[in-house]
Amino acid sequence: MSSGPDEFGAKPAVLRCGRCGKYVDWDEAQLQVICSCRPRLPLPAVLVHEASDADRALVRELFHRDFGRTQIVAFGEVMNVEEIPALVATMHGDVSGALAYRLHGDGLHIVALATDPMWQRSGVGGHLVAEAELLARRLGLARLLVTTTNDNLPALYFYQRRGYRLTGVVPGSVVAHTGNVIAGFAGIPVRDEMQLEKPLT
Ligand SMILES: CC(C)(COP(=O)(O)OP(=O)(O)OC[C@H]1O[C@@H](n2cnc3c(N)ncnc32)[C@H](O)[C@@H]1OP(=O)(O)O)[C@@H](O)C(=O)NCCC(=O)NCCS
């Protein structure tokens, strides 16, 4: 499959500032340590369902806005998130996040996960991942697999907080696909694929 330099560009995507609530591009975001002072906000319920044909356009828009593309490279393969199954999260009936997945060996591979910046830190990502784990259990699979990039410290935090462990690093994998070095989260060069998994034992 041919690819232009931007098709695999790891960014831009959009995050939301945890302090002021402004939307922020990847390279402008920063990491900040906080304690348990941040209050738990009462927020609307998050509902998760399998994407229907009617959801497809919104899911595509969400991934495209967050990742700047719909093609994802992981485990040496190129996947188009438009062509694989997805779980959709809604709040008040509006799409707030999505998780694209496929079956890969004895695992369920989370190919992409994105929460609308408007609803980040509202439990959307957590609910989507929990639902993917339930699905994997129902299918009798042994593990969940996910990849991210070296710069994506929020995702590395998010997954490890939820029991995922680093299982592999593919140095230079992103650069090999993009052909250049892109500035990712906080301006950190995006170079490597980080592989994580969670066994379902
Ligand atoms: C990574 C990402 C998917 C996380 O999604 P999210 O919807 O913000 O995740 P959650 O809301 O479930 O969890 C985030 C934090 O919000 C907190 N939170 C959840 N509900 C909350 C509430 N009602 N009040 C206060 N905090 C809350 C969670 O506790 C969690 O913090 P913790 O891990 O320190 O405990 C999201 O940041 C994103 O879309 N990033 C860009 C794309 C990306 O990097 N995807 C992953 C690589 S594939």
Side-chain angles (χ1 to χ4, degrees):
M1 189 178 297
S2 69
S3 63
D6 291 330
E7 279 179 330
F8 302 104
K11 315 296 160 204
V14 187
L15 297 168
R16 192 168 190 213
C17 175
R19 277 182 66 199
C20 74
K22 270 202 241 167
Y23 297 157
V24 58
D25 282 336
W26 282 102
D27 56 347
E28 292 162 2
Q30 291 178 15
L31 204 60
Q32 196 178 33
V33 174
I34 59 164
C35 69
S36 56
C37 63
R38 201 164 48 124
R40 187 104 197 144
L41 305 171
L43 290 164
V46 180
L47 301 177
V48 176
H49 65 269
E50 192 76 35
S52 65
D53 288 346
D55 293 319
R56 279 281 158 196
L58 281 172
V59 170
R60 182 195 186 284
E61 194 186 312
L62 182 68
F63 285 132
H64 197 269
R65 192 181 54 202
D66 257 35
F67 295 103
R69 68 200 190 283
T70 55
Q71 282 187 321
I72 305 285
V73 183
F75 299 110
E77 290 177 59
V78 181
M79 283 145 283
N80 192 329
V81 290
E82 294 183 87
E83 294 163 4
I84 59 175
L87 300 173
V88 177
T90 57
M91 289 173 90
H92 280 321
D94 291 334
V95 170
S96 52
L99 180 156
Y101 68 91
R102 64 166 181 158
L103 305 189
H104 186 55
D106 64 354
L108 187 146
H109 173 196
I110 298 174
V111 177
L113 169 68
T115 297
D116 184 320
M118 165 81 185
W119 293 111
Q120 285 172 11
R121 287 178 303 280
S122 306
V124 171
H127 276 88
L128 283 165
V129 168
E131 194 64 31
E133 291 173 6
L134 272 178
L135 177 61
R137 280 184 199 281
R138 281 203 294 272
L139 294 171
L141 299 170
R143 67 196 78 239
L144 274 290
L145 305 160
V146 68
T147 69
T148 185
T149 47
N150 61 290
D151 63 303
N152 198 342
L153 301 177
L156 288 166
Y157 169 88
F158 174 86
Y159 283 113
Q160 289 184 86
R161 283 272 284 163
R162 285 154 185 81
Y164 289 71
R165 294 183 60 179
L166 271 172
T167 50
V169 179
V170 189
S173 155
V174 179
V175 181
H177 283 287
T178 58
N180 56 5
V181 179
I182 297 159
F185 179 78
I188 297 169
V190 185
R191 299 180 192 280
D192 318 312
E193 175 177 311
M194 314 294 287
Q195 302 173 339
L196 299 99
E197 73 172 58
K198 181 174 179 177
L200 290 176
T201 47

